[in-house]
């Protein structure tokens, strides 16, 4: 397929590379910043454009992979007809592309991407939604070309997925940062905790998290929890986090 | 070395196996429950005992690996002299073994262990503390026999490590559980999030967490955060967690 990518951020970059590696042609890369478009276009041997009117109408698929609040603007300016147009956003409904009618769809890779770090795309869950059977077919086949995990997910379910991802990714990363700060304040390196962080995530790859919960809260070990709160006495904010999450773990256990 | 293990839980089990694999002899395994002692003893070809007075005085090292609040009791009953005696607890001071004087030490593996799941012990940070140079030497060498990561960590630093581990392990696992619950309530499987969970932990193996924070809070994306809070409107407790952690991420960014 000839695929035009609108956007040059983390998702656009990883997705374009995965599609290219699977044998598809990246036709054009659009970004309002020509240097951004050119960098990605160079890697996937595409044409870079920074004028949305320069986007050719002869691609087989248009993927809008930009910040959530730019999707509607980009969509309103994209002058293609009778061609599938999809976005890649977890938080945006299919209806944001309603001007493309039955040609609209969603192609949402549920993963956290950084430009510096390679991701094995075959393990990335691809959540697809489509306004018609023909777009569904196209996205399903395209998804399977690059990933072993293709799911059909409605707009409502995708919203829940996106919210869950905040709990499963953004918030844990912030807790790692709290741990790093506590260590640093006491002359200890975050490297000491890295194996624990990885093993904690690895444990739930084949178990459910409630089955492998450890720590003082799930043991109702009040003495240790009080000692920890005492160590945090100069930081009421961290005490509040400690108390709230410990309370949640205790509730989880009893439910 | 001839090593006697007091305890038969997760840490005792993984540690005994690692020491055995490194060529050391596990001499005896003690547990008040003979069947627990016997199970571990069988795997490491040791003698199982459930009477603490049956512990022989001729081992080269005694490792007390029991629940924190049982360490002092076990230590008070262990009738060995002039032999190194260590515990494996993150939250317990070296002084809990003060009756062994200069022979006391700590051999704390900083990892989360489950009996069902293998761990690569060579990547487990071993935090050692010793009351004397001779015990320090023994523990350092023993540590290097089984791990590439041996650190000398004081009682005060170990307390901080243990607290940090709650933030880096126990609390993230609870957040995974929240995500699982949100998905389950909407007919979605936790499997959708597993690659994200693993990648989030993998990202900080070579980066610091504050450098790779993603999500609506770090972008100050109020619209998405309000939408998420709206989706949680029937669960004030989860709303509180969402608000508090998002506030922390915003603070982190501005600090």
């Amino acid at each position: 397929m000839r695929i035009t990518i609108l956007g040059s951020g983390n998702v656009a970059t990883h997705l374009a590379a995965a599609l290219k590696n699977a044998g598809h042609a990246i036709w054009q890369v659009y970004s309002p910043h020509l240097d951004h478009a050119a960098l990605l276009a160079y890697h996937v041997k595409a044409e870079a454009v920074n004028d949305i009117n320069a986007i050719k109408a002869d691609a087989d698929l248009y993927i809008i992979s930009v910040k959530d609040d730019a999707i509607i603007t980009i969509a309103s300016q994209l002058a293609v007809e009778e061609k599938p147009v999809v976005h890649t956003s977890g938080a945006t409904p299919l209806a944001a592309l309603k001007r493309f009618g039955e040609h609209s769809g969603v192609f949402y890779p549920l993963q956290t991407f950084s430009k510096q770090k390679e991701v094995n795309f075959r393990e990335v869950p691809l959540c697809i939604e489509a306004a018609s059977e023909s777009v569904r077919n196209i996205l399903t086949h395209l998804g399977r070309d690059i990933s072993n995990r293709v799911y059909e997910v409605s707009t409502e379910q995708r919203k829940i997925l996106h919210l869950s991802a905040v709990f499963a990714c953004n918030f844990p990363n912030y807790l790692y940062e709290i741990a790093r700060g506590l260590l640093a304040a006491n002359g200890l390196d975050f490297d000491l905790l890295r194996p624990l962080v990885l093993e904690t995530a690895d444990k739930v790859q084949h178990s459910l998290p409630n089955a492998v919960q450890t720590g003082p809260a799930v043991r109702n070990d009040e003495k240790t929890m009080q000692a920890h709160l005492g160590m945090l006495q100069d930081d009421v904010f961290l005490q509040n986090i400690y108390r709230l999450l410990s309370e949640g773990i205790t509730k989880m256990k009893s439910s």
Side-chain angles (χ1 to χ4, degrees), chain A residues 54-126:
Chain A
I55 292 177
K56 296 176 190 163
D58 62 346
D60 302 309
L61 173 68
Y62 296 82
I63 300 179
I64 301 175
S65 185
V66 297
K67 283 187 182 154
D68 290 356
D69 51 10
I71 292 174
I72 289 187
T73 311
I74 295 281
S76 70
Q77 298 169 347
L78 180 62
V80 299
E81 274 171 37
E82 309 288 314
K83 295 294 178 68
V85 178
V86 303
H87 72 65
T88 61
S89 163
T92 306
L94 173 62
L97 301 181
K98 62 173 180 280
R99 68 173 286 247
F100 302 104
E102 62 178 340
H103 303 289
S104 61
V106 179
F107 198 71
Y108 168 48
L110 178 49
Q111 187 51 284
T112 172
F113 298 102
S114 322
K115 281 195 185 155
Q116 317 85 319
K117 189 171 182 306
E118 291 246 9
V119 161
N120 176 8
F121 224 98
R122 292 227 68 87
E123 292 303 317
V124 174
L126 279 174

Side-chain angles (χ1 to χ4, degrees), chain A residues 5 11 32 53 60 76 107 110 117 128 165 168 176 186 189 212 216 218-219 226-227 232 242 246-247 249:
Chain A
I5 309 268
V11 175
N53 296 311
D60 302 309
S76 70
F107 198 71
L110 178 49
K117 189 171 182 306
I128 65 171
Y176 306 157
N186 289 274
D189 198 281
V212 296
V218 77
R219 293 195 305 268
Q226 287 307 319
L232 296 172
Y242 190 98
S246 295
E247 187 191 336
I249 293 172

Side-chain angles (χ1 to χ4, degrees), chain A residues 43-230:
Chain A
H43 285 295
V44 295
K45 298 191 167 43
E47 182 192 357
V49 295
N50 68 337
D51 174 3
I52 203 157
N53 296 311
I55 292 177
K56 296 176 190 163
D58 62 346
D60 302 309
L61 173 68
Y62 296 82
I63 300 179
I64 301 175
S65 185
V66 297
K67 283 187 182 154
D68 290 356
D69 51 10
I71 292 174
I72 289 187
T73 311
I74 295 281
S76 70
Q77 298 169 347
L78 180 62
V80 299
E81 274 171 37
E82 309 288 314
K83 295 294 178 68
V85 178
V86 303
H87 72 65
T88 61
S89 163
T92 306
L94 173 62
L97 301 181
K98 62 173 180 280
R99 68 173 286 247
F100 302 104
E102 62 178 340
H103 303 289
S104 61
V106 179
F107 198 71
Y108 168 48
L110 178 49
Q111 187 51 284
T112 172
F113 298 102
S114 322
K115 281 195 185 155
Q116 317 85 319
K117 189 171 182 306
E118 291 246 9
V119 161
N120 176 8
F121 224 98
R122 292 227 68 87
E123 292 303 317
V124 174
L126 279 174
C127 303
I128 65 171
E129 186 178 7
S132 62
E133 192 57 33
S134 101
V135 172
R136 182 177 297 113
N137 275 335
I138 291 169
L139 297 183
T140 303
H141 283 99
L142 194 70
R144 288 179 188 156
D145 283 348
I146 58 175
S147 170
N148 302 327
R149 298 169 177 257
V150 179
Y151 300 85
E152 195 168 347
V153 170
S154 70
T155 288
E156 284 310 305
Q157 288 179 318
R158 202 168 56 251
K159 276 190 201 168
I160 293 286
L161 262 181
H162 189 251
L163 170 62
S164 306
V166 172
F167 281 96
C169 163
N170 306 150
F171 289 165
N173 186 75
Y174 170 57
L175 296 174
Y176 306 157
E177 172 59 18
I178 292 175
R180 189 204 62 77
L182 288 169
L183 294 182
N186 289 274
L188 291 162
D189 198 281
F190 183 62
D191 213 35
L192 271 158
L193 282 182
R194 285 187 162 116
L196 179 65
V197 162
L198 197 56
E199 175 70 11
T200 301
D202 199 47
K203 257 191 181 180
V204 298
Q205 297 302 307
H206 301 284
S207 300
L208 292 180
N210 55 3
V212 296
Q213 182 68 52
T214 54
V218 77
R219 293 195 305 268
N220 264 317
D221 180 348
E222 275 295 333
K223 197 179 139 199
T224 298
M225 288 191 277
Q226 287 307 319
H228 284 167
L229 287 167

Side-chain angles (χ1 to χ4, degrees), chain A residues 174 178 232-243:
Chain A
Y174 170 57
I178 292 175
L232 296 172
Q233 64 186 348
D234 293 334
D235 195 328
V236 174
F237 191 77
L238 288 192
Q239 280 189 328
N240 286 342
I241 291 176
Y242 190 98
R243 273 201 202 91

